[in-house]
Amino acid sequence: MSEVKEVQSAIAGYIGKVLRESFGKGPISVHTTWAPPYFCVHIRDFLVPMEQILIQKNEGRKVEELREMLMGVLYADIKAELEAVTGEEILDIYTNWNLHHRSGVIFGTIDTPLEQESGTAYKWQEEVNSVVKKAGENKEGLSAVVDTKPLNHRVVLIERTSVLTPVERQLIEEGHAGEIEAAKTTLVKSIIEETNLLALMPREVIDPFIIWDLDKDINYLIFICSSKESEAK
């Protein structure tokens, strides 16, 4: 398949089928963005009855752990299917869930060069980079490299590299990766909530996600936006 829409439709159909077969209930909506060297699958209205009970009992972390375990088993099959559909090599696959919104993303990187962008970044992209970089310096005590990339009109990716301090790297080597990720996720959520980051986006953000690859020293922020366009940035 060479047409992007066909690829996106095939991936969405496959992901919906896999989730339904693996969890016993599939999502209501699956929307794929194929934008090499990245892809993003946004999953909506996905929560099985047992998970709902656990969340009502404030056991959301258990739901995330169970999903992480199951998705870890599925990654190899998902990778193989996406490579068969697209003819491209999938490098990494990540997931992140927003249980209160009953949503999630499957996000990944593709082994293909980044297409050369024409012209310069829009003003809002430069402003987002500046806000995120400055907030990271203030809250995390580091100067990460920040790059904001719209994958399409509804998905904005912020890629941060060099996001670990020497102390954090040492703690990760000592087996504290989970604690480091949880603490840094809380800090990033505060950046989203306490700055004007969301107001700078070209469209209203309806679903934000935070993904870490501590081994590669990378943090991905994914913002799913409304279909309604905001004022021009």
Side-chain angles (χ1 to χ4, degrees):
M1 294 184 182
S2 57
E3 295 295 327
V4 172
K5 288 185 177 179
E6 292 180 355
V7 167
Q8 293 179 155
S9 178
I11 292 174
Y14 170 74
I15 294 298
K17 177 175 177 288
V18 166
L19 294 178
R20 183 168 57 255
E21 292 177 348
S22 302
F23 288 84
K25 177 183 181 295
I28 294 298
S29 169
V30 181
H31 185 272
T32 301
T33 298
W34 182 260
Y38 310 98
F39 71 89
C40 179
V41 182
H42 184 219
I43 301 158
R44 295 179 58 195
D45 200 0
F46 179 55
L47 200 66
V48 302
M50 182 57 70
E51 292 175 332
Q52 181 66 53
I53 292 172
L54 287 171
I55 290 173
Q56 290 173 352
K57 294 181 177 295
N58 296 317
E59 296 287 356
R61 182 55 193 157
K62 286 186 178 179
V63 175
E64 292 175 348
E65 290 172 353
L66 289 170
R67 285 193 177 187
E68 183 178 346
M69 184 186 308
L70 184 52
M71 292 304 299
V73 174
L74 296 174
Y75 280 159
D77 289 342
I78 292 174
K79 180 177 185 293
E81 180 66 19
L82 264 58
E83 289 178 344
V85 168
T86 65
E88 303 283 359
E89 181 182 357
I90 305 300
L91 298 177
D92 299 294
I93 300 177
Y94 313 92
T95 52
N96 188 237
W97 307 102
N98 188 335
L99 297 178
H100 294 291
H101 285 186
R102 307 165 75 98
S103 62
V105 289
I106 300 175
F107 171 79
T109 57
I110 306 161
D111 186 18
T112 186
L114 178 65
E115 293 185 5
Q116 187 68 33
E117 296 181 359
S118 59
T120 57
Y122 289 106
K123 181 181 178 181
W124 69 266
Q125 290 174 254
E126 297 173 346
E127 292 175 339
V128 166
N129 289 342
S130 177
V131 166
V132 173
K133 185 175 181 62
K134 185 176 295 184
E137 291 172 349
N138 293 336
K139 289 184 175 292
E140 297 174 288
L142 52 82
S143 182
V145 178
V146 181
D147 188 11
T148 299
K149 311 167 187 180
L151 301 189
N152 62 17
H153 68 288
R154 292 195 60 187
V155 182
V156 175
L157 170 67
I158 300 178
E159 181 175 343
R160 301 197 309 151
T161 54
S162 301
V163 293
L164 295 172
T165 66
V167 172
E168 289 169 340
R169 292 193 191 95
Q170 181 61 39
L171 288 170
I172 290 168
E173 290 179 6
E174 294 174 2
H176 300 287
E179 295 94 324
I180 294 296
E181 181 172 324
K184 292 181 75 66
T185 295
T186 299
L187 287 174
V188 171
K189 285 181 178 178
S190 71
I191 291 174
I192 295 173
E193 294 168 358
E194 297 173 11
T195 67
N196 65 334
L197 173 60
L198 298 183
L200 293 172
M201 292 292 175
R203 297 170 186 260
E204 179 188 3
V205 173
I206 58 176
D207 230 357
F209 298 93
I210 302 170
I211 291 172
W212 298 92
D213 189 330
L214 299 181
D215 291 335
K216 295 184 177 180
D217 205 357
I218 298 175
N219 171 218
Y220 297 106
L221 308 183
I222 300 168
F223 298 90
I224 308 298
C225 301
S226 168
S227 58
K228 296 180 181 180
E229 190 170 3
S230 302
E231 294 182 3
K233 294 290 191 294

